[in-house]
Amino acid sequence: MNQKIRETYRQLAQSTGLSMDEQTGVLHGQYGGYQLLIAPYVFRGNTYYYTPSISVAACSASHMLSKAEGKAYKKERRNVSLFQEENRLLTLTLKNCKNADKFCAITVEELRNLTSWLRMNGYENCCQMCGKLTQTAAYYVSGFYSQLCPDCAQNVSQNAVLSRQQENVKKESLIGGIVGALLGSLLGVLSIIILSQLGYIAALSGVLMAICTLKGYELLGQKLSTRGIVICCVLMLLMTYFGDRLDWAILVSREFAVGIGLAYQSVPLLLSEGVIIASSYWGNLALVYLFVLLGAVPTILNILKNRENAGKIFQLQ
Ligand SMILES: [Zn+2]
């Protein structure tokens, strides 16, 4: 969270009376009789700071927010982009607004609407995990914000310590990892060939190559270490070259009615003789590499981020 965004959230904290957690910039506390939390909206790993999401852990004996009702609520209020209830968590997401004053005014207005709606429908604060109607506190749990009762908070932290220990004890199997990555990258090769034979050089095949290779390593290697990621990257580079050349070989073997092995071997010769046009060969290869890169970078960043967040738990201050 940069300084400007932080100031916007601080301003919102002042006008709502909520506390701001200095570490994360997230707001939490009591508003209109409800314990709630305001955090930036996160979608597919991206954080949208100017799109605030209000969440309340609450349940009602007489009411359950349906999808249709959530849609109707949104339709009535032009600043709301999403309203839903899922596993005792009600989430109200607002539309993007970059002007700090407007951001605060709209959020306060929607907070009022939300809390009166909750009251009207008989909602009471509860623990997000066990559903007990009791005093809760806001926690950061492995990349998510939760409102937990003291018992659940303690359980969650104990479990996190345990799973971290298990993770540390778990040994990476290098051989298994390499076999898994190899099998995964073969799936990637297959997708390059199939999609290309259908007439596409698709970004999808690059993404599949990256995900299949990394997941293959993790599945058979038990654990994906940084060393594993490097091995996967090398494999991806080699197998993408192999896949692309095999794709040309299929073309050559069909065109000249020769076996696929011979066709594969003769690709460099055909290139130097100009039978395969060099610019289209290398251009095609570069494009496939670009797509692998587009698939691999977000996947690897996601893995690293999840690893960093896993088992990270603290109470918001
Ligand atoms: Zn609980």
Side-chain angles (χ1 to χ4, degrees):
M1 198 177 254
N2 72 28
Q3 208 47 43
K4 192 171 163 243
I5 298 167
R6 196 170 276 271
E7 276 319 305
T8 309
Y9 275 80
R10 206 183 298 283
Q11 196 179 328
L12 181 59
Q14 271 155 11
S15 46
T16 52
L18 296 170
S19 320
M20 182 175 178
D21 178 60
E22 284 303 323
Q23 194 178 343
T24 56
V26 167
L27 309 189
H28 61 103
Q30 286 268 350
Y31 189 94
Y34 290 96
Q35 186 76 25
L36 47 81
L37 203 144
I38 305 179
Y41 179 60
V42 178
F43 183 66
R44 290 191 177 151
N46 294 315
T47 309
Y48 297 91
Y49 290 103
Y50 291 107
T51 308
S53 215
I54 305 166
S55 58
V56 190
C59 42
S60 162
S62 58
H63 194 266
M64 172 96 183
L65 177 69
S66 66
K67 265 197 173 132
E69 202 184 351
K71 271 191 185 144
Y73 186 98
K74 171 190 144 175
K75 216 169 182 180
E76 272 171 43
R77 294 166 181 86
R78 64 192 166 89
N79 297 316
V80 174
S81 73
L82 182 77
F83 186 38
Q84 63 177 19
E85 176 175 352
E86 219 172 7
N87 301 326
R88 294 187 277 271
L89 188 71
L90 291 119
T91 313
L92 181 83
T93 304
L94 303 183
K95 286 187 181 151
N96 187 292
C97 173
K98 280 196 167 166
N99 177 297
D101 292 330
K102 230 169 130 189
F103 179 91
C104 294
I106 289 172
T107 311
V108 170
E109 186 191 326
E110 291 308 332
L111 267 175
R112 264 192 220 121
N113 289 338
L114 174 66
T115 47
S116 67
W117 183 91
L118 287 169
R119 231 186 328 276
M120 222 165 64
N121 289 290
Y123 278 88
E124 278 180 82
N125 264 128
C126 68
C127 168
Q128 198 172 323
M129 202 162 264
C130 67
K132 222 187 289 167
L133 300 174
T134 179
Q135 185 71 25
T136 61
Y139 287 85
Y140 175 94
V141 182
S142 308
F144 297 95
Y145 299 104
S146 304
Q147 293 159 92
L148 303 176
C149 73
D151 289 343
C152 286
Q154 201 183 356
N155 284 344
V156 163
S157 352
Q158 276 166 356
N159 286 343
V161 171
L162 272 179
S163 73
R164 215 163 27 219
Q165 278 168 349
Q166 275 166 358
E167 193 58 34
N168 286 340
V169 166
K170 214 158 66 176
K171 266 223 155 65
E172 181 182 33
S173 149
L174 188 64
I175 304 288
I178 292 174
V179 171
L182 209 60
L183 291 176
S185 67
L186 280 175
L187 281 180
V189 166
L190 204 64
S191 75
I192 289 178
I193 290 172
I194 289 174
L195 287 169
S196 155
Q197 296 294 323
L198 290 174
Y200 308 108
I201 314 173
L204 181 66
S205 58
V207 176
L208 283 175
M209 170 65 91
I211 293 175
C212 291
T213 309
L214 289 160
K215 282 286 156 208
Y217 190 101
E218 198 178 13
L219 219 60
L220 297 191
Q222 310 292 333
K223 196 174 171 179
L224 182 60
S225 63
T226 311
R227 179 177 65 174
I229 293 177
V230 173
I231 291 172
C232 285
C233 288
V234 173
L235 255 178
M236 272 182 238
L237 290 178
L238 294 175
M239 292 305 261
T240 303
Y241 176 81
F242 170 66
D244 184 64
R245 186 158 155 186
L246 195 58
D247 181 31
W248 281 96
I250 292 172
L251 199 75
V252 168
S253 110
R254 206 182 295 148
E255 205 70 16
F256 296 99
V258 291
I260 193 90
L262 182 64
Y264 186 87
Q265 277 170 7
S266 55
V267 167
L269 180 71
L270 294 173
L271 258 176
S272 67
E273 295 292 324
V275 180
I276 296 176
I277 299 157
S279 62
S280 67
Y281 180 86
W282 296 114
N284 186 60
L285 184 60
L287 212 57
V288 180
Y289 270 125
L290 179 73
F291 289 141
V292 171
L293 201 69
L294 284 179
V297 170
T299 310
I300 291 173
L301 286 180
N302 223 347
I303 289 170
L304 293 178
K305 204 164 120 193
N306 284 342
R307 199 200 288 170
E308 192 192 325
N309 284 338
K312 205 174 182 187
I313 289 167
F314 56 86
Q315 187 177 353
L316 298 187
Q317 298 300 316

